[in-house]
Amino acid sequence: QLQASGGGLVQPGGSVRLACAVFASGFTFDYLAIGWFRQAPGKEREGVSCIGSSGGSLYNEDSVKGRFTISRDVAMKSVYLQMNNLNPEDTGVYYCAAQKLTNCSFRREWYAFWGQGTQVTVSS
């Protein structure tokens, strides 16, 4: 129902764009909030960025520090996470999650639907 893609190996300082596509029928994309979460080895899954159905967005500034941009494309039923100036601390599996919400949140329990995750590795 949710498919995350775009991960891979990138050098420090590089960029990558992740995509979260919503496929299943019965999902009215316009009403969905989409969250991006990441899980580094040995660490808890944390919210990175999210966007509500209203278009309002949140960023985890402690870890993102103005380097990431989230956007949504209603026609493509997709949400994108543009990640720039990556560093090794950004390494992890990135998951997208969806829930019918006006405003998004980093609370994992709010999201009923999760994608399979895409690996991002930042290394030279």
Side-chain angles (χ1 to χ4, degrees):
Q1 294 170 333
L2 297 178
Q3 183 171 342
S5 62
L9 176 63
V10 60
Q11 291 189 341
S15 298
V16 69
R17 189 177 81 152
L18 304 182
C20 177
V22 179
F23 284 104
S25 61
F27 278 75
T28 305
F29 183 80
D30 292 16
Y31 298 142
L32 293 177
I34 305 291
W36 282 102
F37 296 78
R38 73 182 176 195
Q39 189 161 18
K43 294 187 177 181
E44 287 192 3
R45 194 173 299 187
E46 65 170 353
V48 175
S49 183
C50 65
I51 187 165
S53 61
S54 63
S57 59
L58 292 175
Y59 296 93
N60 185 339
E61 288 300 335
D62 287 342
S63 55
V64 169
K65 295 181 176 66
R67 299 177 295 128
F68 295 1
T69 303
I70 192 169
S71 61
R72 64 190 293 148
D73 186 329
V74 175
M76 297 299 292
K77 294 186 179 181
S78 295
V79 168
Y80 305 99
L81 185 67
Q82 178 68 42
M83 305 191 295
N84 299 326
N85 195 21
L86 289 164
N87 58 63
E89 289 70 38
D90 296 314
T91 295
V93 179
Y94 284 71
Y95 298 90
C96 62
Q99 183 60 28
K100 185 179 177 182
L101 293 169
T102 300
N103 300 311
C104 68
S105 167
F106 289 147
R107 298 184 65 170
R108 288 173 288 174
E109 63 269 25
W110 281 25
Y111 294 87
F113 308 101
W114 290 79
Q116 82 287 3
T118 184
Q119 175 72 44
V120 174
T121 302
V122 184
S123 175
S124 56

mmCIF file of all heavy atoms in Angstrom, residues 10 22-23 66 74 80 97 106 112:
data_model
loop_
_atom_site.group_PDB
_atom_site.id
_atom_site.type_symbol
_atom_site.label_atom_id
_atom_site.label_comp_id
_atom_site.label_asym_id
_atom_site.label_seq_id
_atom_site.Cartn_x
_atom_site.Cartn_y
_atom_site.Cartn_z
ATOM 1 N N VAL A 10 25.435 6.887 -0.648
ATOM 2 C CA VAL A 10 25.762 8.256 -1.055
ATOM 3 C C VAL A 10 26.951 8.739 -0.237
ATOM 4 O O VAL A 10 27.109 8.372 0.935
ATOM 5 C CB VAL A 10 24.532 9.180 -0.890
ATOM 6 C CG1 VAL A 10 24.064 9.229 0.549
ATOM 7 C CG2 VAL A 10 24.808 10.564 -1.424
ATOM 8 N N VAL A 22 1.704 5.939 -2.717
ATOM 9 C CA VAL A 22 0.510 5.306 -2.149
ATOM 10 C C VAL A 22 -0.212 4.610 -3.278
ATOM 11 O O VAL A 22 -0.628 5.250 -4.253
ATOM 12 C CB VAL A 22 -0.390 6.359 -1.482
ATOM 13 C CG1 VAL A 22 -1.639 5.701 -0.914
ATOM 14 C CG2 VAL A 22 0.381 7.090 -0.388
ATOM 15 N N PHE A 23 -0.369 3.264 -3.138
ATOM 16 C CA PHE A 23 -0.896 2.494 -4.246
ATOM 17 C C PHE A 23 -2.327 2.013 -4.081
ATOM 18 O O PHE A 23 -3.097 2.021 -5.021
ATOM 19 C CB PHE A 23 -0.009 1.268 -4.501
ATOM 20 C CG PHE A 23 1.267 1.599 -5.198
ATOM 21 C CD1 PHE A 23 2.470 1.641 -4.512
ATOM 22 C CD2 PHE A 23 1.268 1.887 -6.557
ATOM 23 C CE1 PHE A 23 3.650 1.958 -5.155
ATOM 24 C CE2 PHE A 23 2.450 2.204 -7.207
ATOM 25 C CZ PHE A 23 3.650 2.238 -6.509
ATOM 26 N N GLY A 66 17.669 21.943 8.645
ATOM 27 C CA GLY A 66 17.440 22.686 7.416
ATOM 28 C C GLY A 66 17.939 22.016 6.151
ATOM 29 O O GLY A 66 17.957 22.643 5.087
ATOM 30 N N VAL A 74 -0.006 15.427 -5.468
ATOM 31 C CA VAL A 74 -1.308 14.781 -5.403
ATOM 32 C C VAL A 74 -1.562 13.937 -6.653
ATOM 33 O O VAL A 74 -2.090 12.831 -6.561
ATOM 34 C CB VAL A 74 -2.412 15.848 -5.224
ATOM 35 C CG1 VAL A 74 -3.784 15.213 -5.288
ATOM 36 C CG2 VAL A 74 -2.228 16.578 -3.899
ATOM 37 N N TYR A 80 7.649 13.199 -1.327
ATOM 38 C CA TYR A 80 9.078 13.137 -1.556
ATOM 39 C C TYR A 80 9.834 13.760 -0.387
ATOM 40 O O TYR A 80 9.359 14.722 0.215
ATOM 41 C CB TYR A 80 9.445 13.859 -2.854
ATOM 42 C CG TYR A 80 8.685 13.328 -4.048
ATOM 43 C CD1 TYR A 80 7.564 14.001 -4.526
ATOM 44 C CD2 TYR A 80 9.071 12.150 -4.679
ATOM 45 C CE1 TYR A 80 6.850 13.511 -5.601
ATOM 46 C CE2 TYR A 80 8.359 11.652 -5.765
ATOM 47 C CZ TYR A 80 7.244 12.338 -6.212
ATOM 48 O OH TYR A 80 6.534 11.846 -7.283
ATOM 49 N N ALA A 97 5.089 6.461 6.413
ATOM 50 C CA ALA A 97 3.882 6.011 7.087
ATOM 51 C C ALA A 97 2.748 6.947 6.726
ATOM 52 O O ALA A 97 2.974 8.132 6.445
ATOM 53 C CB ALA A 97 4.101 5.976 8.592
ATOM 54 N N PHE A 106 4.992 13.305 14.663
ATOM 55 C CA PHE A 106 6.092 12.347 14.758
ATOM 56 C C PHE A 106 5.749 11.193 15.710
ATOM 57 O O PHE A 106 6.602 10.376 16.025
ATOM 58 C CB PHE A 106 7.374 13.038 15.224
ATOM 59 C CG PHE A 106 7.985 13.944 14.192
ATOM 60 C CD1 PHE A 106 8.662 15.084 14.580
ATOM 61 C CD2 PHE A 106 7.882 13.663 12.848
ATOM 62 C CE1 PHE A 106 9.233 15.931 13.635
ATOM 63 C CE2 PHE A 106 8.445 14.491 11.888
ATOM 64 C CZ PHE A 106 9.122 15.633 12.289
ATOM 65 N N ALA A 112 -1.229 4.239 10.964
ATOM 66 C CA ALA A 112 -1.679 2.857 10.846
ATOM 67 C C ALA A 112 -1.003 2.118 9.698
ATOM 68 O O ALA A 112 -0.953 0.891 9.704
ATOM 69 C CB ALA A 112 -3.190 2.822 10.645
#
